[in-house]
Amino acid sequence: MPELPEVETVKRGLAPTMEGALLVRAELRRPDLRFPFPENFAAAVSGRRILALSRRAKYLMIDLEGGDVIVAHLGMSGSFRIESGVGPATPGVFQHPRGKDEKHDHVVFHLDARSGPARVIYNDPRRFGFMDLARRDRIAEHVFFRDLGAEPTGNALDAAYLAARFAGKAQPLKAALLDQKTIAGLGNIYVCEALWRSGLSPKRAAGTLVDKRGRARQALFTLTEAIRAVIADAIVAGGSSLKDHIQADGSLGYFQHSFSVYDREGEACRTPGCRGTVARIVQAGRSTFYCPHCQK
């Protein structure tokens, strides 16, 4: 499943072509993806100008004139491909090439863009992705967004925010961080990396980072900064590109080459002066990678 940095790089790759373009026609080549398309979806979005692209958690959002928003999720294998006068490009970053077999091209947006006619094609071999149509002025009430927590890149995420949610919690720290009601879009890879950077064990109780008066301990300030930093670094690197993820221009992301603990079981810890070895455990059905020696 693509994580937040991957979706962000896809958004940034699509924006130059899509923002300001007229969506001349939306072509649906099947009635559904993971879920059925909204009724009259193609007709509702065709003939509308695209005002802006944005992201919330792992959702791509395409704002149209008139106040509607196309909400898209890539699922496990979804990607967008741009076809224009300068040739095809696939925004995103993935270690293995994204599917380009036309039999998996399920949605085609025909655009009149600033640079000329273009097509933005959604390809999804596994069809775990989906698209919906929402009203921008009611987006906070939408079922996909109403329970989401703070963005890991936004100003709302700070130590005080996390302290209020972690106080008294015996839940393991990793599970608490993966709760989308606390932090939106923060996934397994980046939780492992942030915990390593902050020297905190994924098994540690979340409540131990909060003092008796409900205030954040220093470790929680360190963790908050680590979360922000690891997400920022991954976005700059173009995402993690673990299995299927490709950027809008077809290039691969290389943040996986900078992983300090994720998928490095049995290798030496990269913390300076640490003689530990990266271990793998399973928490709530997900692989956790950490150094038992320096993460406490």
mmCIF file of all heavy atoms in Angstrom, residues 17-47:
data_model
loop_
_atom_site.group_PDB
_atom_site.id
_atom_site.type_symbol
_atom_site.label_atom_id
_atom_site.label_comp_id
_atom_site.label_asym_id
_atom_site.label_seq_id
_atom_site.Cartn_x
_atom_site.Cartn_y
_atom_site.Cartn_z
ATOM 1 N N THR A 17 0.352 19.180 -15.096
ATOM 2 C CA THR A 17 -0.527 18.874 -16.225
ATOM 3 C C THR A 17 -1.989 19.140 -15.905
ATOM 4 O O THR A 17 -2.724 19.694 -16.737
ATOM 5 C CB THR A 17 -0.366 17.393 -16.644
ATOM 6 O OG1 THR A 17 0.979 17.165 -17.061
ATOM 7 C CG2 THR A 17 -1.320 17.025 -17.778
ATOM 8 N N MET A 18 -2.423 18.804 -14.687
ATOM 9 C CA MET A 18 -3.853 18.823 -14.381
ATOM 10 C C MET A 18 -4.356 20.163 -13.870
ATOM 11 O O MET A 18 -5.490 20.560 -14.182
ATOM 12 C CB MET A 18 -4.187 17.715 -13.377
ATOM 13 C CG MET A 18 -3.929 16.316 -13.902
ATOM 14 S SD MET A 18 -4.578 15.007 -12.829
ATOM 15 C CE MET A 18 -6.347 15.118 -13.189
ATOM 16 N N GLU A 19 -3.572 20.857 -13.084
ATOM 17 C CA GLU A 19 -4.069 22.112 -12.517
ATOM 18 C C GLU A 19 -4.288 23.152 -13.614
ATOM 19 O O GLU A 19 -3.399 23.422 -14.412
ATOM 20 C CB GLU A 19 -3.113 22.648 -11.454
ATOM 21 C CG GLU A 19 -3.128 21.815 -10.190
ATOM 22 C CD GLU A 19 -2.318 22.403 -9.047
ATOM 23 O OE1 GLU A 19 -1.412 23.219 -9.316
ATOM 24 O OE2 GLU A 19 -2.591 22.034 -7.882
ATOM 25 N N GLY A 20 -5.473 23.707 -13.642
ATOM 26 C CA GLY A 20 -5.832 24.690 -14.649
ATOM 27 C C GLY A 20 -6.362 24.102 -15.937
ATOM 28 O O GLY A 20 -6.846 24.833 -16.818
ATOM 29 N N ALA A 21 -6.295 22.779 -16.084
ATOM 30 C CA ALA A 21 -6.751 22.123 -17.308
ATOM 31 C C ALA A 21 -8.270 21.969 -17.310
ATOM 32 O O ALA A 21 -8.905 21.879 -16.258
ATOM 33 C CB ALA A 21 -6.096 20.756 -17.460
ATOM 34 N N LEU A 22 -8.833 21.922 -18.509
ATOM 35 C CA LEU A 22 -10.245 21.598 -18.660
ATOM 36 C C LEU A 22 -10.374 20.086 -18.765
ATOM 37 O O LEU A 22 -9.729 19.461 -19.613
ATOM 38 C CB LEU A 22 -10.816 22.259 -19.916
ATOM 39 C CG LEU A 22 -12.295 21.966 -20.213
ATOM 40 C CD1 LEU A 22 -13.189 22.581 -19.138
ATOM 41 C CD2 LEU A 22 -12.677 22.468 -21.597
ATOM 42 N N LEU A 23 -11.187 19.505 -17.888
ATOM 43 C CA LEU A 23 -11.434 18.069 -17.951
ATOM 44 C C LEU A 23 -12.527 17.878 -18.998
ATOM 45 O O LEU A 23 -13.721 17.933 -18.693
ATOM 46 C CB LEU A 23 -11.854 17.533 -16.578
ATOM 47 C CG LEU A 23 -11.631 16.041 -16.305
ATOM 48 C CD1 LEU A 23 -11.949 15.707 -14.854
ATOM 49 C CD2 LEU A 23 -12.440 15.148 -17.221
ATOM 50 N N VAL A 24 -12.115 17.695 -20.230
ATOM 51 C CA VAL A 24 -13.054 17.635 -21.352
ATOM 52 C C VAL A 24 -14.005 16.465 -21.211
ATOM 53 O O VAL A 24 -15.227 16.596 -21.379
ATOM 54 C CB VAL A 24 -12.288 17.540 -22.688
ATOM 55 C CG1 VAL A 24 -13.270 17.413 -23.862
ATOM 56 C CG2 VAL A 24 -11.385 18.744 -22.870
ATOM 57 N N ARG A 25 -13.439 15.310 -20.867
ATOM 58 C CA ARG A 25 -14.266 14.108 -20.762
ATOM 59 C C ARG A 25 -13.622 13.088 -19.840
ATOM 60 O O ARG A 25 -12.398 12.888 -19.896
ATOM 61 C CB ARG A 25 -14.461 13.482 -22.147
ATOM 62 C CG ARG A 25 -15.301 12.210 -22.180
ATOM 63 C CD ARG A 25 -15.660 11.840 -23.616
ATOM 64 N NE ARG A 25 -14.485 11.529 -24.418
ATOM 65 C CZ ARG A 25 -14.016 10.276 -24.599
ATOM 66 N NH1 ARG A 25 -14.629 9.241 -24.005
ATOM 67 N NH2 ARG A 25 -12.961 10.067 -25.361
ATOM 68 N N ALA A 26 -14.422 12.475 -18.996
ATOM 69 C CA ALA A 26 -13.964 11.367 -18.161
ATOM 70 C C ALA A 26 -14.499 10.076 -18.759
ATOM 71 O O ALA A 26 -15.700 9.938 -18.977
ATOM 72 C CB ALA A 26 -14.449 11.529 -16.732
ATOM 73 N N GLU A 27 -13.588 9.164 -19.014
ATOM 74 C CA GLU A 27 -13.953 7.885 -19.630
ATOM 75 C C GLU A 27 -13.774 6.760 -18.617
ATOM 76 O O GLU A 27 -12.664 6.519 -18.137
ATOM 77 C CB GLU A 27 -13.051 7.653 -20.851
ATOM 78 C CG GLU A 27 -13.245 6.334 -21.548
ATOM 79 C CD GLU A 27 -12.203 6.104 -22.637
ATOM 80 O OE1 GLU A 27 -11.436 7.043 -22.967
ATOM 81 O OE2 GLU A 27 -12.128 4.959 -23.138
ATOM 82 N N LEU A 28 -14.863 6.078 -18.296
ATOM 83 C CA LEU A 28 -14.819 4.949 -17.366
ATOM 84 C C LEU A 28 -14.909 3.668 -18.178
ATOM 85 O O LEU A 28 -15.866 3.464 -18.926
ATOM 86 C CB LEU A 28 -15.975 5.015 -16.363
ATOM 87 C CG LEU A 28 -16.134 6.310 -15.573
ATOM 88 C CD1 LEU A 28 -17.278 6.165 -14.562
ATOM 89 C CD2 LEU A 28 -14.853 6.690 -14.871
ATOM 90 N N ARG A 29 -13.930 2.790 -18.010
ATOM 91 C CA ARG A 29 -13.889 1.566 -18.807
ATOM 92 C C ARG A 29 -14.425 0.353 -18.065
ATOM 93 O O ARG A 29 -14.359 -0.768 -18.566
ATOM 94 C CB ARG A 29 -12.453 1.322 -19.285
ATOM 95 C CG ARG A 29 -11.981 2.422 -20.235
ATOM 96 C CD ARG A 29 -10.598 2.187 -20.773
ATOM 97 N NE ARG A 29 -10.244 3.181 -21.787
ATOM 98 C CZ ARG A 29 -9.060 3.256 -22.378
ATOM 99 N NH1 ARG A 29 -8.104 2.384 -22.056
ATOM 100 N NH2 ARG A 29 -8.824 4.184 -23.287
ATOM 101 N N ARG A 30 -14.935 0.575 -16.877
ATOM 102 C CA ARG A 30 -15.607 -0.467 -16.106
ATOM 103 C C ARG A 30 -16.511 0.249 -15.101
ATOM 104 O O ARG A 30 -16.307 1.440 -14.816
ATOM 105 C CB ARG A 30 -14.616 -1.405 -15.422
ATOM 106 C CG ARG A 30 -13.608 -0.756 -14.524
ATOM 107 C CD ARG A 30 -12.719 -1.787 -13.835
ATOM 108 N NE ARG A 30 -13.509 -2.717 -13.047
ATOM 109 C CZ ARG A 30 -13.661 -4.017 -13.351
ATOM 110 N NH1 ARG A 30 -13.062 -4.544 -14.389
ATOM 111 N NH2 ARG A 30 -14.396 -4.808 -12.576
ATOM 112 N N PRO A 31 -17.471 -0.442 -14.527
ATOM 113 C CA PRO A 31 -18.414 0.222 -13.612
ATOM 114 C C PRO A 31 -17.883 0.421 -12.205
ATOM 115 O O PRO A 31 -18.485 1.144 -11.414
ATOM 116 C CB PRO A 31 -19.617 -0.718 -13.606
ATOM 117 C CG PRO A 31 -19.039 -2.072 -13.895
ATOM 118 C CD PRO A 31 -17.903 -1.816 -14.858
ATOM 119 N N ASP A 32 -16.752 -0.220 -11.907
ATOM 120 C CA ASP A 32 -16.276 -0.141 -10.532
ATOM 121 C C ASP A 32 -14.771 -0.354 -10.469
ATOM 122 O O ASP A 32 -14.140 -0.808 -11.417
ATOM 123 C CB ASP A 32 -16.974 -1.179 -9.656
ATOM 124 C CG ASP A 32 -16.780 -2.616 -10.158
ATOM 125 O OD1 ASP A 32 -15.992 -2.832 -11.108
ATOM 126 O OD2 ASP A 32 -17.432 -3.521 -9.625
ATOM 127 N N LEU A 33 -14.210 -0.007 -9.329
ATOM 128 C CA LEU A 33 -12.848 -0.382 -8.955
ATOM 129 C C LEU A 33 -13.013 -1.231 -7.701
ATOM 130 O O LEU A 33 -13.650 -2.269 -7.743
ATOM 131 C CB LEU A 33 -11.988 0.861 -8.742
ATOM 132 C CG LEU A 33 -11.722 1.686 -10.012
ATOM 133 C CD1 LEU A 33 -11.092 3.030 -9.682
ATOM 134 C CD2 LEU A 33 -10.814 0.901 -10.963
ATOM 135 N N ARG A 34 -12.471 -0.769 -6.578
ATOM 136 C CA ARG A 34 -12.756 -1.483 -5.331
ATOM 137 C C ARG A 34 -14.227 -1.327 -4.972
ATOM 138 O O ARG A 34 -14.858 -2.243 -4.452
ATOM 139 C CB ARG A 34 -11.871 -0.938 -4.210
ATOM 140 C CG ARG A 34 -12.053 -1.648 -2.886
ATOM 141 C CD ARG A 34 -11.086 -1.116 -1.847
ATOM 142 N NE ARG A 34 -11.273 -1.713 -0.556
ATOM 143 C CZ ARG A 34 -10.595 -1.352 0.528
ATOM 144 N NH1 ARG A 34 -9.679 -0.393 0.450
ATOM 145 N NH2 ARG A 34 -10.814 -1.941 1.683
ATOM 146 N N PHE A 35 -14.768 -0.134 -5.239
ATOM 147 C CA PHE A 35 -16.183 0.167 -5.036
ATOM 148 C C PHE A 35 -16.751 0.671 -6.357
ATOM 149 O O PHE A 35 -16.010 1.140 -7.226
ATOM 150 C CB PHE A 35 -16.367 1.250 -3.960
ATOM 151 C CG PHE A 35 -15.627 0.996 -2.681
ATOM 152 C CD1 PHE A 35 -14.652 1.880 -2.233
ATOM 153 C CD2 PHE A 35 -15.903 -0.128 -1.910
ATOM 154 C CE1 PHE A 35 -13.961 1.657 -1.056
ATOM 155 C CE2 PHE A 35 -15.227 -0.363 -0.727
ATOM 156 C CZ PHE A 35 -14.249 0.532 -0.296
ATOM 157 N N PRO A 36 -18.070 0.622 -6.526
ATOM 158 C CA PRO A 36 -18.666 1.210 -7.730
ATOM 159 C C PRO A 36 -18.389 2.714 -7.794
ATOM 160 O O PRO A 36 -18.284 3.385 -6.771
ATOM 161 C CB PRO A 36 -20.170 0.936 -7.552
ATOM 162 C CG PRO A 36 -20.235 -0.216 -6.604
ATOM 163 C CD PRO A 36 -19.070 -0.047 -5.671
ATOM 164 N N PHE A 37 -18.263 3.235 -9.011
ATOM 165 C CA PHE A 37 -18.144 4.674 -9.170
ATOM 166 C C PHE A 37 -19.458 5.331 -8.742
ATOM 167 O O PHE A 37 -20.528 4.722 -8.848
ATOM 168 C CB PHE A 37 -17.847 5.029 -10.624
ATOM 169 C CG PHE A 37 -16.466 4.680 -11.074
ATOM 170 C CD1 PHE A 37 -16.233 3.542 -11.840
ATOM 171 C CD2 PHE A 37 -15.380 5.472 -10.725
ATOM 172 C CE1 PHE A 37 -14.952 3.211 -12.260
ATOM 173 C CE2 PHE A 37 -14.086 5.147 -11.135
ATOM 174 C CZ PHE A 37 -13.877 4.009 -11.902
ATOM 175 N N PRO A 38 -19.395 6.570 -8.261
ATOM 176 C CA PRO A 38 -20.648 7.278 -7.946
ATOM 177 C C PRO A 38 -21.550 7.343 -9.173
ATOM 178 O O PRO A 38 -21.063 7.385 -10.315
ATOM 179 C CB PRO A 38 -20.177 8.673 -7.530
ATOM 180 C CG PRO A 38 -18.762 8.488 -7.107
ATOM 181 C CD PRO A 38 -18.211 7.394 -7.968
ATOM 182 N N GLU A 39 -22.829 7.382 -8.956
ATOM 183 C CA GLU A 39 -23.787 7.451 -10.058
ATOM 184 C C GLU A 39 -23.516 8.707 -10.894
ATOM 185 O O GLU A 39 -23.335 9.800 -10.360
ATOM 186 C CB GLU A 39 -25.208 7.480 -9.502
ATOM 187 C CG GLU A 39 -26.279 7.373 -10.558
ATOM 188 C CD GLU A 39 -27.680 7.272 -9.951
ATOM 189 O OE1 GLU A 39 -27.775 7.227 -8.714
ATOM 190 O OE2 GLU A 39 -28.652 7.241 -10.737
ATOM 191 N N ASN A 40 -23.486 8.525 -12.217
ATOM 192 C CA ASN A 40 -23.259 9.628 -13.162
ATOM 193 C C ASN A 40 -21.917 10.331 -12.935
ATOM 194 O O ASN A 40 -21.774 11.525 -13.214
ATOM 195 C CB ASN A 40 -24.394 10.649 -13.075
ATOM 196 C CG ASN A 40 -25.740 10.044 -13.449
ATOM 197 O OD1 ASN A 40 -25.838 9.243 -14.387
ATOM 198 N ND2 ASN A 40 -26.778 10.414 -12.710
ATOM 199 N N PHE A 41 -20.924 9.586 -12.438
ATOM 200 C CA PHE A 41 -19.619 10.171 -12.124
ATOM 201 C C PHE A 41 -18.988 10.831 -13.350
ATOM 202 O O PHE A 41 -18.537 11.987 -13.297
ATOM 203 C CB PHE A 41 -18.699 9.079 -11.575
ATOM 204 C CG PHE A 41 -17.298 9.532 -11.282
ATOM 205 C CD1 PHE A 41 -17.010 10.259 -10.135
ATOM 206 C CD2 PHE A 41 -16.249 9.218 -12.144
ATOM 207 C CE1 PHE A 41 -15.711 10.681 -9.855
ATOM 208 C CE2 PHE A 41 -14.949 9.625 -11.877
ATOM 209 C CZ PHE A 41 -14.687 10.358 -10.726
ATOM 210 N N ALA A 42 -18.947 10.117 -14.467
ATOM 211 C CA ALA A 42 -18.293 10.648 -15.657
ATOM 212 C C ALA A 42 -18.959 11.937 -16.128
ATOM 213 O O ALA A 42 -18.288 12.925 -16.446
ATOM 214 C CB ALA A 42 -18.294 9.604 -16.770
ATOM 215 N N ALA A 43 -20.276 11.939 -16.177
ATOM 216 C CA ALA A 43 -21.000 13.129 -16.624
ATOM 217 C C ALA A 43 -20.814 14.288 -15.660
ATOM 218 O O ALA A 43 -20.725 15.451 -16.073
ATOM 219 C CB ALA A 43 -22.484 12.808 -16.791
ATOM 220 N N ALA A 44 -20.748 13.977 -14.366
ATOM 221 C CA ALA A 44 -20.651 15.022 -13.348
ATOM 222 C C ALA A 44 -19.333 15.775 -13.394
ATOM 223 O O ALA A 44 -19.277 16.966 -13.068
ATOM 224 C CB ALA A 44 -20.868 14.423 -11.964
ATOM 225 N N VAL A 45 -18.242 15.087 -13.784
ATOM 226 C CA VAL A 45 -16.925 15.738 -13.770
ATOM 227 C C VAL A 45 -16.501 16.249 -15.140
ATOM 228 O O VAL A 45 -15.620 17.104 -15.236
ATOM 229 C CB VAL A 45 -15.846 14.786 -13.197
ATOM 230 C CG1 VAL A 45 -16.240 14.315 -11.808
ATOM 231 C CG2 VAL A 45 -15.591 13.598 -14.115
ATOM 232 N N SER A 46 -17.114 15.754 -16.196
ATOM 233 C CA SER A 46 -16.738 16.169 -17.548
ATOM 234 C C SER A 46 -17.155 17.616 -17.798
ATOM 235 O O SER A 46 -18.197 18.080 -17.328
ATOM 236 C CB SER A 46 -17.396 15.255 -18.587
ATOM 237 O OG SER A 46 -16.907 13.936 -18.473
ATOM 238 N N GLY A 47 -16.309 18.326 -18.540
ATOM 239 C CA GLY A 47 -16.591 19.716 -18.861
ATOM 240 C C GLY A 47 -16.264 20.695 -17.749
ATOM 241 O O GLY A 47 -16.594 21.878 -17.837
#
